[in-house]
Amino acid sequence: SQTIHQWPATLVQPVGSPLSLECTVEGTSNPNLYWYRQAAGRGLQLLFYSVGIGQISSEVPQNLSASRPQDRQFILSSKKLLLSDSGFYLCASRTGHGTEAFFGQGTRLTVV
Amino acid sequence: SQQGEEDPQALSIQEGENATMNCSYKTSINNLQWYRQNSGRGLVHLILIRSNEREKHSGRLRVTLDTSKKSSSLLITASRAADTASYFCATAPLGSGAGSYQLTFGKGTKLSVIP
């Protein structure tokens, strides 16, 4: 099975500061990668997904961007954080659209 | 956008009772999956049911799928305190191309099992 490494676990950032969250995958190659955001007590909102290096699909217009510089690396970024960017960010990996997703442990981002 | 909608939003039962959670979705799917999330943690995959399957079992879990009604249910039998968690359904759409790789989650059901 796959292992998803996500860091940091928690992050407190001031409004207007940049953001970089990194996710790396072990145990598979050429995965489909996903970034989700979860507001407190809510469901998961799909932010970005990637089916290959350099291929990024965005689901919602927002202050965030994603990049996939390597096959098993997925990065979520922002140039200037907003208060509304606070939330629980989860990275996930799948090997195909007929398979299950493996999740990282998440990053709790608080923008102050 | 949210595809699945779980019902109820919250469920509280006694240990030993069965817990049933429902999920409705909107578009045609390749498969439907159920996940569990302990508070503040990542999601863990429980079971996947394909669009041509009607029922699937895994241990104390039973999942049904009715594609004509675009709905699924998750039954946890003989619940335990350790089953306390949030449960989410997720749908993978039919089709080809990059869009078919989306995996869209509902808002979840928060299950509390009282010892």
Side-chain angles (χ1 to χ4, degrees), chain A residues 79-95:
Chain A
K79 292 182 179 177
K80 288 186 178 182
L81 284 168
L82 305 171
L83 288 175
S84 57
D85 292 323
S86 294
F88 191 51
Y89 289 83
L90 289 155
C91 178
S93 172
R94 297 168 78 199
T95 54

Side-chain angles (χ1 to χ4, degrees), chain B residues 73-92:
Chain B
S73 67
L74 170 67
L75 168 68
I76 304 174
T77 60
S79 64
R80 306 165 182 169
D83 294 328
T84 294
S86 291
Y87 292 82
F88 296 87
C89 69
T91 53

Side-chain angles (χ1 to χ4, degrees), chain A residues 10-32:
Chain A
T10 59
L11 190 60
V12 180
Q13 292 283 98
V15 168
S17 64
L19 173 74
S20 181
L21 300 181
E22 186 165 345
C23 169
T24 59
V25 179
E26 285 183 9
T28 189
S29 58
N30 196 31
N32 302 313

Side-chain angles (χ1 to χ4, degrees), chain A residues 41, chain B residues 8-12 21 39 84-87 107-112:
Chain B
Q9 291 187 0
L11 179 62
S12 184
M21 290 159 267
S39 181
T84 294
S86 291
Y87 292 82
K107 295 179 181 179
T109 292
K110 190 168 184 178
L111 174 66
S112 298

Side-chain angles (χ1 to χ4, degrees), chain A residues 32 34 36 38 98 101 105, chain B residues 31 35 37 41 50 101 103:
Chain A
N32 302 313
Y34 304 80
Y36 291 90
Q38 185 177 32
Q105 289 304 302
Chain B
N31 62 76
Y35 290 79
Q37 184 184 32
R41 306 298 297 274
R50 303 192 187 283
Y101 290 93
L103 185 63

Side-chain angles (χ1 to χ4, degrees), chain B residues 37-48:
Chain B
Q37 184 184 32
N38 287 349
S39 181
R41 306 298 297 274
L43 278 72
V44 176
H45 178 260
L46 296 175
I47 195 164
L48 181 154

Side-chain angles (χ1 to χ4, degrees), chain A residues 59-98:
Chain A
E59 284 300 290
V60 293
Q62 57 205 320
N63 187 42
L64 303 169
S65 62
S67 62
R68 184 171 177 174
Q70 299 181 45
D71 180 47
R72 289 174 288 177
Q73 183 185 30
F74 205 23
I75 298 172
L76 183 69
S77 303
S78 173
K79 292 182 179 177
K80 288 186 178 182
L81 284 168
L82 305 171
L83 288 175
S84 57
D85 292 323
S86 294
F88 191 51
Y89 289 83
L90 289 155
C91 178
S93 172
R94 297 168 78 199
T95 54
H97 54 64

